[in-house]
């Protein structure tokens, strides 16, 4: 099983700041990596797939990069609605054994 | 509006059974692989099972193999998860989710609102 590890667990930031979240895979997952946002009390929402492609209706301040085992999600100019938990997920393993990172919580400083 | 609505959660004793349903509307349900994912505060998000678009191919996480069965009714746009021999560690919010495109190995685009399963004596 591919283990996904995110860092940091929690990030305290202010609105308007730029943040970078990290995700590491225990084995290469090529670019088969997605990022999700989960606001309090809501279900996960797909932000990024294919490591760097924004999903439908996702604002341009979200961007993803990386390949293999190292990935990042960058949010420029944080908005109030961006304070949430972010998960990475690999979908490369066969037979299918999709795995998620433990999440990074963005909290307001 | 693309929508998935789960139902069927509840409280069950260890060893008991439940069947979850996920009703899809306003998207091409029969063209997409469908997943069940669960979430707990301790273990986070865990993928549970996936079925191919036609229901022929099915895959499960190791801890539910032989106990859970995923199935789909493409005529009525419904996804199911039959859960038996339930254990306390199966307690979670269960979400259904659709694959982004048409392959099993893909991101999860649309998520339901979740249904809560509690396994307790």
């Amino acid at each position: 099983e591919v283990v996904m590890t995110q860092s940091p667990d929690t990030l305290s930031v202010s609105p308007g700041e730029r943040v970078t979240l990290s995700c590491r895979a225990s084995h290469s997952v090529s670019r088969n990596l997605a990022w999700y946002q989960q606001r309090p009390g809501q279900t996960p929402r797909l932000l990024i797939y294919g490591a760097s492609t924004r999903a439908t209706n996702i604002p341009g301040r979200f961007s993803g990069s990386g390949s293999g085992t190292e990935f990042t999600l960058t949010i420029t100019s944080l908005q109030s609605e961006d304070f949430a938990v972010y998960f990475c997920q690999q979908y490369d393993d066969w037979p299918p054994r999709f795995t998620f990172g433990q999440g990074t919580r963005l909290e307001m400083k | 509006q693309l929508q998935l609505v789960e139902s069927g959660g509840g409280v069950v004793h260890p060893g008991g059974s439940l069947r979850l349903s996920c009703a899809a509307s306003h998207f091409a349900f029969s063209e997409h692989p469908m997943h069940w994912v669960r979430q707990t505060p301790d273990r986070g998000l865990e993928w549970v099972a996936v079925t191919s678009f036609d229901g022929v191919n099915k895959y499960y996480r190791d801890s539910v193999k032989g106990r859970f069965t995923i199935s789909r009714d493409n005529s009525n746009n419904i996804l199911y998860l039959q859960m038996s021999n339930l254990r306390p560690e199966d307690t979670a919010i269960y979400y259904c989710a659709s694959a982004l495109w048409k392959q099993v190995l893909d991101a999860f685009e649309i998520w339901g609102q979740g249904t809560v399963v509690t396994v307790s004596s």
Side-chain angles (χ1 to χ4, degrees), chain B residues 25-36:
Chain B
S25 57
H26 307 295
F27 83 106
F29 176 81
S30 63
E31 297 181 8
H32 293 264
M34 293 294 297
H35 300 264
W36 287 100

Side-chain angles (χ1 to χ4, degrees), chain B residues 12-24:
Chain B
V12 62
H13 291 306
S17 299
L18 274 178
R19 188 177 81 158
L20 307 184
S21 300
C22 168

Side-chain angles (χ1 to χ4, degrees), chain A residues 89 96 98, chain B residues 4 22 32-37 47-51 70 72 79 95-100 103-109:
Chain A
Q89 176 219 12
F98 306 86
Chain B
L4 296 172
C22 168
H32 293 264
M34 293 294 297
H35 300 264
W36 287 100
V37 180
W47 169 76
V48 174
V50 61
T51 174
I70 189 171
R72 64 190 300 160
L79 176 73
Y95 300 101
C96 59
S98 69
L100 176 61
Q103 58 265 25
V104 167
L105 288 184
D106 208 347
F108 301 174
E109 183 183 25

Side-chain angles (χ1 to χ4, degrees), chain A residues 36 38 43 89 94 96 98, chain B residues 39 47 59 95 104 108 112-113:
Chain A
Y36 300 87
Q38 187 172 30
T43 65
Q89 176 219 12
W94 189 266
F98 306 86
Chain B
Q39 186 173 30
W47 169 76
Y59 303 93
Y95 300 101
V104 167
F108 301 174
Q113 87 290 348

Side-chain angles (χ1 to χ4, degrees), chain A residues 34-79:
Chain A
W35 289 94
Y36 300 87
Q37 176 195 65
Q38 187 172 30
R39 294 170 175 155
Q42 296 189 17
T43 65
R45 176 174 73 142
L46 177 64
L47 297 176
I48 301 285
Y49 62 93
S52 61
T53 303
R54 276 190 302 277
T56 302
N57 296 325
I58 300 303
R61 64 181 182 273
F62 293 92
S63 64
S65 65
S67 66
T69 61
E70 301 285 342
F71 300 89
T72 59
L73 173 70
T74 299
I75 312 171
T76 58
S77 190
L78 269 170
Q79 306 296 302

